Amino acid sequence: MMQKEKLYGKTLNELIAVTKRIGLPGFAARQLADWLYKKEIQTIEEMTNLSKRTRELLSVDYEIGLTAPVNTTESNDGTKKYLYKVLNDKYIETAYIPDDERATICVSSQAGCKMGCVFCMTGKQGFQGNLSSNEILNQFRSLPEFSTLTNMVYMGMGEPLDNITEVLKSLDILTSEWGYAWSPTRITVSTVGLIAGIKEFLEKSRCHLAVSLHSPFDEERKKLMPIQRTNTVAEVLDVIRNFEMNSQRRVSFEYILFKGMNDTPRHIKELARILNGIKCRINIIRFHQIPGSEFQSPDLTATNNFKEALNAKGILTTIRASRGVDIQAACGLLSTLKMNKPE
Ligand code: SF4
């Protein structure tokens, strides 16, 4: 049987094309967007302001296309990890992170990843495919805590800017008035530093950008993140420096702290030098030990000292609270375990 096309995850322009294809008036696309993104329906049958005939016509080739997660793990601190099935036979992870008045969802943008960062389990899986805008947004819409969400980060499996077309579509749906109408300041997209992708993302979206830095030194960063070979820190910073950011928009640099490796005074000095003149912040993340890794987690005092030293240099620096450590919330771990264990 032919698989039906999924309506959920289509932009307004794509919905207009759908209505044209089956001979509906243009305004029907807005009605569809309304049902898909403002009302919580699961089937075309529930679109009750469309005639029965229209719903039947739509159902021939289309379906809504929502799928529930297949597994959940909950941490002592309330963080949850959901596993979704995508691309027919792959698995991706989505994290739900409640925190006082905030509730953040961390979505995946690819199954596996091409970037090969040495500290990451997803990198070790290799690349298995790009998620469609449907599969990206389904993580959000089919999350049991969907209605409580206040923030969204693209920091799960995959490199979002390596799947920029589908990521931009999902952002369009999240932030457009015909979609979820979320403020772009509630959404952050992370990247290892793909220069062309950063340029396109800065131009076509108004969401926050988070660049994984992890070291200010080329040689060292190259060892951690192979992407550094073709996209150097200096080039990435140039793109950001030369882009006129509106005052609402935030650029942050993620910095995973590895004990005795990238936490020295030399690193602090160089970070202050290269980030000079860029309105930004640094988010320090304490490394979570992963199986088979040579890297070690720094202790809390060392982490704090590193943060204070950067703040003293005038760079706004915060430590990201480690969440979900007991359920292996490090990127890519859960789906790797699942893949290693046949059902
Ligand atoms: S850290 Fe992110 S970009 Fe790097 S390999 Fe893992 S998923 Fe890919």
Side-chain angles (χ1 to χ4, degrees):
M1 204 181 75
M2 272 270 292
Q3 256 191 353
K4 291 188 182 182
E5 234 186 273
K6 296 173 175 23
L7 290 175
Y8 186 79
K10 286 195 185 294
T11 62
L12 187 59
N13 281 340
E14 290 174 322
L15 292 172
I16 291 171
V18 169
T19 54
K20 278 199 185 130
R21 214 185 124 208
I22 58 170
L24 297 177
F27 67 82
R30 289 230 162 217
Q31 288 178 316
L32 287 180
D34 211 57
W35 285 110
L36 292 170
Y37 307 126
K38 302 216 186 282
K39 301 186 174 121
E40 295 185 20
I41 57 158
Q42 298 282 339
T43 62
I44 290 177
E45 195 47 40
E46 293 164 77
M47 298 180 164
T48 47
N49 65 353
L50 302 181
S51 72
K52 190 154 194 311
R53 172 88 192 111
T54 304
R55 281 178 272 157
E56 279 167 6
L57 259 179
L58 262 178
S59 302
V60 175
D61 293 325
Y62 301 95
E63 60 181 359
I64 304 279
L66 294 172
T67 40
V70 293
N71 193 15
T72 326
T73 331
E74 184 166 357
S75 159
N76 294 334
D77 65 14
T79 303
K80 291 185 187 171
K81 273 270 182 179
Y82 289 96
L83 204 65
Y84 286 94
K85 197 169 183 175
V86 291
L87 301 162
N88 295 323
D89 57 353
K90 311 280 191 284
Y91 295 96
I92 50 143
E93 298 172 3
T94 306
Y96 165 73
I97 310 155
D99 182 18
D100 292 337
E101 70 281 15
R102 271 185 177 218
T104 304
I105 181 172
C106 174
V107 295
S108 294
S109 56
Q110 297 179 315
C113 186
K114 293 177 206 159
M115 302 300 141
C117 306
V118 296
F119 48 82
C120 167
M121 285 297 277
T122 305
K124 294 191 201 310
Q125 282 177 21
F127 179 66
Q128 301 158 45
N130 278 327
L131 302 193
S132 63
S133 149
N134 167 277
E135 289 166 326
I136 295 171
L137 287 177
N138 179 62
Q139 299 167 61
F140 163 78
R141 171 66 179 78
S142 296
L143 194 84
E145 295 82 5
F146 165 67
S147 60
T148 69
L149 292 172
T150 61
N151 293 75
M152 178 145 165
V153 295
Y154 287 64
M155 294 186 182
M157 300 170 72
E159 159 56 46
L161 301 187
D162 185 42
N163 182 19
I164 192 157
T165 308
E166 297 302 308
V167 165
L168 284 175
K169 267 200 235 169
S170 67
L171 295 175
D172 189 18
I173 294 164
L174 285 166
T175 59
S176 292
E177 131 290 319
W178 49 262
Y180 288 102
W182 268 34
S183 161
T185 58
R186 292 162 70 184
I187 304 168
T188 303
V189 174
S190 76
T191 178
V192 286
L194 301 183
I195 288 160
I198 294 179
K199 277 189 192 148
E200 190 174 350
F201 169 78
L202 288 175
E203 276 158 20
K204 296 187 179 165
S205 133
R206 289 173 298 135
C207 299
H208 294 323
L209 176 69
V211 179
S212 302
L213 191 56
H214 311 326
S215 172
F217 297 112
D218 288 347
E219 280 310 307
E220 200 169 79
R221 193 166 181 267
K222 209 190 291 178
K223 283 188 204 138
L224 292 169
M225 306 164 76
I227 193 66
Q228 164 75 20
R229 282 188 214 122
T230 48
N231 297 240
T232 65
V233 172
E235 288 170 306
V236 170
L237 295 183
D238 269 354
V239 173
I240 293 171
R241 231 184 231 112
N242 294 332
F243 189 85
E244 206 161 312
M245 289 303 158
N246 77 34
S247 58
Q248 301 270 307
R249 201 168 196 180
R250 201 163 61 211
V251 174
S252 55
F253 294 94
E254 307 290 306
Y255 199 95
I256 304 181
L257 210 57
F258 302 101
K259 185 178 176 182
M261 196 265 204
N262 62 354
D263 58 353
T264 71
R266 199 168 65 93
H267 289 85
I268 294 164
K269 201 166 156 218
E270 183 67 359
L271 282 170
R273 192 186 71 80
I274 63 171
L275 298 181
N276 186 21
I278 298 181
K279 196 178 135 254
C280 65
R281 68 168 68 184
I282 293 186
N283 282 321
I284 298 176
I285 304 152
R286 282 176 70 219
F287 176 63
H288 292 182
Q289 208 95 25
I290 59 171
S293 165
E294 69 202 80
F295 299 113
Q296 290 179 352
S297 312
D299 61 45
L300 268 177
T301 317
T303 311
N304 225 6
N305 291 345
F306 192 78
K307 177 192 100 166
E308 292 305 330
L310 284 169
N311 276 324
K313 294 253 182 216
I315 302 176
L316 180 62
T317 307
T318 51
I319 300 173
R320 172 108 50 81
S322 291
R323 303 292 303 269
V325 179
D326 55 328
I327 55 162
Q328 302 182 311
C331 160
L333 261 177
L334 204 69
S335 59
T336 302
L337 291 178
K338 175 93 183 171
M339 285 199 312
N340 292 341
K341 255 190 246 154
E343 280 165 281

